[in-house]
mmCIF file of all heavy atoms in Angstrom:
data_model
loop_
_atom_site.group_PDB
_atom_site.id
_atom_site.type_symbol
_atom_site.label_atom_id
_atom_site.label_comp_id
_atom_site.label_asym_id
_atom_site.label_seq_id
_atom_site.Cartn_x
_atom_site.Cartn_y
_atom_site.Cartn_z
ATOM 1 N N GLN A 65 -51.359 17.727 -56.180
ATOM 2 C CA GLN A 65 -52.212 18.489 -55.240
ATOM 3 C C GLN A 65 -51.700 18.384 -53.826
ATOM 4 O O GLN A 65 -51.629 19.430 -53.102
ATOM 5 C CB GLN A 65 -53.652 17.924 -55.286
ATOM 6 C CG GLN A 65 -54.573 18.734 -56.152
ATOM 7 C CD GLN A 65 -55.980 18.159 -56.135
ATOM 8 O OE1 GLN A 65 -56.144 16.919 -56.154
ATOM 9 N NE2 GLN A 65 -56.953 18.995 -56.131
ATOM 10 N N HIS A 66 -51.406 17.202 -53.384
ATOM 11 C CA HIS A 66 -50.905 17.058 -52.018
ATOM 12 C C HIS A 66 -49.552 17.803 -51.846
ATOM 13 O O HIS A 66 -49.311 18.407 -50.818
ATOM 14 C CB HIS A 66 -50.689 15.557 -51.701
ATOM 15 C CG HIS A 66 -51.962 14.856 -51.369
ATOM 16 N ND1 HIS A 66 -52.792 15.285 -50.344
ATOM 17 C CD2 HIS A 66 -52.539 13.776 -51.926
ATOM 18 C CE1 HIS A 66 -53.828 14.449 -50.311
ATOM 19 N NE2 HIS A 66 -53.734 13.530 -51.236
ATOM 20 N N HIS A 69 -50.162 21.334 -51.212
ATOM 21 C CA HIS A 69 -50.531 21.523 -49.809
ATOM 22 C C HIS A 69 -49.264 21.615 -48.935
ATOM 23 O O HIS A 69 -49.090 22.531 -48.128
ATOM 24 C CB HIS A 69 -51.395 20.377 -49.297
ATOM 25 C CG HIS A 69 -52.836 20.589 -49.594
ATOM 26 N ND1 HIS A 69 -53.806 19.710 -49.170
ATOM 27 C CD2 HIS A 69 -53.509 21.585 -50.229
ATOM 28 C CE1 HIS A 69 -54.982 20.133 -49.558
ATOM 29 N NE2 HIS A 69 -54.846 21.260 -50.212
ATOM 30 P P DG D 28 -57.715 16.921 -47.737
ATOM 31 O OP1 DG D 28 -56.959 16.155 -46.750
ATOM 32 O OP2 DG D 28 -57.103 17.976 -48.565
ATOM 33 O "O5'" DG D 28 -58.502 15.913 -48.707
ATOM 34 C "C5'" DG D 28 -59.062 14.732 -48.180
ATOM 35 C "C4'" DG D 28 -59.382 13.793 -49.307
ATOM 36 O "O4'" DG D 28 -60.418 14.396 -50.109
ATOM 37 C "C3'" DG D 28 -58.236 13.522 -50.245
ATOM 38 O "O3'" DG D 28 -58.202 12.105 -50.515
ATOM 39 C "C2'" DG D 28 -58.519 14.346 -51.496
ATOM 40 C "C1'" DG D 28 -60.021 14.411 -51.481
ATOM 41 N N9 DG D 28 -60.596 15.658 -52.031
ATOM 42 C C8 DG D 28 -60.195 16.927 -51.847
ATOM 43 N N7 DG D 28 -60.935 17.827 -52.453
ATOM 44 C C5 DG D 28 -61.923 17.071 -53.067
ATOM 45 C C6 DG D 28 -63.050 17.474 -53.857
ATOM 46 O O6 DG D 28 -63.374 18.627 -54.207
ATOM 47 N N1 DG D 28 -63.821 16.387 -54.258
ATOM 48 C C2 DG D 28 -63.553 15.079 -53.947
ATOM 49 N N2 DG D 28 -64.377 14.166 -54.455
ATOM 50 N N3 DG D 28 -62.514 14.686 -53.231
ATOM 51 C C4 DG D 28 -61.754 15.726 -52.802
ATOM 52 P P DC D 29 -57.060 11.484 -51.400
ATOM 53 O OP1 DC D 29 -56.787 10.130 -50.908
ATOM 54 O OP2 DC D 29 -55.952 12.450 -51.527
ATOM 55 O "O5'" DC D 29 -57.748 11.364 -52.827
ATOM 56 C "C5'" DC D 29 -58.921 10.548 -52.970
ATOM 57 C "C4'" DC D 29 -59.517 10.737 -54.326
ATOM 58 O "O4'" DC D 29 -60.035 12.074 -54.418
ATOM 59 C "C3'" DC D 29 -58.474 10.598 -55.449
ATOM 60 O "O3'" DC D 29 -58.782 9.440 -56.198
ATOM 61 C "C2'" DC D 29 -58.700 11.886 -56.286
ATOM 62 C "C1'" DC D 29 -59.968 12.478 -55.773
ATOM 63 N N1 DC D 29 -60.016 13.962 -55.823
ATOM 64 C C2 DC D 29 -61.078 14.572 -56.483
ATOM 65 O O2 DC D 29 -61.905 13.893 -57.017
ATOM 66 N N3 DC D 29 -61.109 15.932 -56.541
ATOM 67 C C4 DC D 29 -60.184 16.650 -55.942
ATOM 68 N N4 DC D 29 -60.257 17.971 -56.002
ATOM 69 C C5 DC D 29 -59.079 16.042 -55.234
ATOM 70 C C6 DC D 29 -59.060 14.699 -55.198
ATOM 71 P P DG D 37 -40.879 27.729 -68.356
ATOM 72 O OP1 DG D 37 -40.001 28.031 -67.203
ATOM 73 O OP2 DG D 37 -41.191 28.779 -69.385
ATOM 74 O "O5'" DG D 37 -40.207 26.503 -69.125
ATOM 75 C "C5'" DG D 37 -39.889 25.335 -68.390
ATOM 76 C "C4'" DG D 37 -39.676 24.187 -69.339
ATOM 77 O "O4'" DG D 37 -40.904 23.966 -70.081
ATOM 78 C "C3'" DG D 37 -38.611 24.441 -70.416
ATOM 79 O "O3'" DG D 37 -37.518 23.546 -70.192
ATOM 80 C "C2'" DG D 37 -39.336 24.154 -71.724
ATOM 81 C "C1'" DG D 37 -40.545 23.369 -71.276
ATOM 82 N N9 DG D 37 -41.633 23.465 -72.256
ATOM 83 C C8 DG D 37 -42.344 24.577 -72.597
ATOM 84 N N7 DG D 37 -43.262 24.357 -73.498
ATOM 85 C C5 DG D 37 -43.132 22.996 -73.745
ATOM 86 C C6 DG D 37 -43.856 22.157 -74.640
ATOM 87 O O6 DG D 37 -44.746 22.441 -75.429
ATOM 88 N N1 DG D 37 -43.394 20.849 -74.560
ATOM 89 C C2 DG D 37 -42.388 20.393 -73.744
ATOM 90 N N2 DG D 37 -42.096 19.107 -73.832
ATOM 91 N N3 DG D 37 -41.714 21.165 -72.924
ATOM 92 C C4 DG D 37 -42.138 22.465 -72.972
#
Side-chain angles (χ1 to χ4, degrees):
Chain A
Q65 261 181 321
H66 282 303
H69 275 182

